Amino acid sequence: FFSGDKELIHLNIKEDFQFYGNELLTIHVLFNLIKNSLYYIKSARKGEITIWLTVNDSFNCLHFKDTGKGVSQEILPHIFDLFYSKTSQGYGLGLAFCAMVMKSYSGHIKCESVEGSYIEFILKFLKIKEV
């Protein structure tokens, strides 16, 4: 983190859950989302990151939202495509990696965005059946 970056991230953890998955891969997914968000927040010169969890009958979800630039509806369908990037520093690997990791967990990642307002990633983890 650079100076002031940590202050832009807000955790709102009222619910918690366990999931089947690899700790290191999950850390890398979160790192990628944070790295991307900080880049776009700085580019937009506004915004913050909020992370929270929700639990429902079928899935446990991690929500990751930043209020920086958001993305256009034209770009949105392609952001998880391998090698798709709209930045000079990007290679189109990060979000594709995130999608592959979530798929390997039998989960899913989706994205919602309003250009100029926000982008939100929702990571859906299969619920662990209680014994």
Side-chain angles (χ1 to χ4, degrees):
F1 290 104
F2 292 105
S3 177
D5 286 353
K6 287 183 182 179
E7 290 75 23
L8 297 173
I9 302 172
H10 309 285
L11 293 174
N12 185 2
I13 309 297
K14 294 179 182 168
E15 299 183 83
D16 198 4
F17 61 81
Q18 294 182 343
F19 66 95
Y20 289 118
N22 179 283
E23 180 181 2
L24 185 59
L25 291 176
T26 305
I27 289 169
H28 192 75
V29 167
L30 294 174
F31 171 80
N32 186 73
L33 294 174
I34 290 169
K35 177 186 64 71
N36 287 353
S37 288
L38 290 172
Y39 172 84
Y40 286 107
I41 286 170
K42 289 175 184 179
S43 175
R45 296 188 178 143
K46 72 172 184 81
E48 60 188 12
I49 299 167
T50 305
I51 302 169
W52 71 97
L53 305 175
T54 59
V55 176
N56 65 40
D57 292 337
S58 302
F59 288 96
N60 296 314
C61 298
L62 184 148
H63 300 260
F64 187 100
K65 182 176 184 176
D66 82 54
T67 54
K69 282 187 161 187
V71 298
S72 73
Q73 295 303 304
E74 296 157 353
I75 292 173
L76 197 56
H78 305 288
I79 63 170
F80 297 112
D81 293 350
L82 192 57
F83 305 121
Y84 183 83
S85 178
K86 287 295 187 181
T87 68
S88 59
Q89 298 90 353
Y91 296 100
L93 299 173
L95 292 176
F97 172 82
C98 294
M100 286 188 278
V101 169
M102 292 307 298
K103 185 176 181 180
S104 78
Y105 295 168
S106 296
H108 182 71
I109 184 171
K110 73 176 194 172
C111 182
E112 299 171 356
S113 184
V114 173
E115 188 174 17
S117 183
Y118 75 90
I119 190 166
E120 180 179 348
F121 293 92
I122 303 165
L123 289 72
K124 290 183 163 188
F125 297 86
L126 278 180
K127 225 175 164 90
I128 296 175
K129 305 284 188 219
E130 293 188 25
V131 183

